[in-house]
Amino acid sequence: MFIAYAVVGGLLALVLAASATFTLQRNDQIVASMQEVQVPDAWLPRLATLKAAGAIGLVAGLWVTPLGVAAATGVTLYFIGAVISHLRVKDYELAPAAVLTLVAAAALVLRILS
């Protein structure tokens, strides 16, 4: 189970790090997506920080189990919030958020079981 967590958690951490970087750089696609779900522009740095913290926590969770569990829990909740945000404004292009929710939940289960 640990190897599975390492793979899933590591890949999720890479995605989160890239997303945090693009959010901080105000990538056009990211900004447009955030505007579609009515996220205030002032929240972008905070959301990027949460993604970066999740990435760091998932990687550190390879060595410190409770940190990995906490990070995976936080990332799962973050993406559940993203799915809810899409549904709230009736934006049904939520596949990326839904997939990342499932991947984060898988990382959580794998870390708990390893």
Side-chain angles (χ1 to χ4, degrees):
M1 288 296 176
F2 178 77
I3 293 172
Y5 169 75
V7 171
V8 172
L11 291 174
L12 182 57
L14 285 173
V15 169
L16 288 169
S19 181
T21 301
F22 290 140
T23 303
L24 285 173
Q25 293 174 344
R26 301 207 185 270
N27 177 277
D28 293 338
Q29 279 186 305
I30 299 284
V31 171
S33 177
M34 295 287 192
Q35 287 174 345
E36 283 182 33
V37 295
Q38 301 173 353
V39 172
D41 196 47
W43 286 17
L44 293 180
R46 293 180 192 118
L47 295 175
T49 302
L50 289 173
K51 292 177 197 177
I56 292 167
L58 288 169
V59 172
L62 292 168
W63 294 275
V64 183
T65 301
L67 187 55
V69 170
T73 301
V75 172
T76 302
L77 292 173
Y78 177 94
F79 285 110
I80 288 171
V83 168
I84 291 169
S85 294
H86 282 274
L87 293 174
R88 183 179 52 85
V89 298
K90 295 179 175 51
D91 175 21
Y92 300 111
E93 295 180 20
L94 52 88
V99 168
L100 288 170
T101 301
L102 295 174
V103 172
L108 175 59
V109 170
L110 290 168
R111 191 60 192 130
I112 290 171
L113 294 177
S114 61

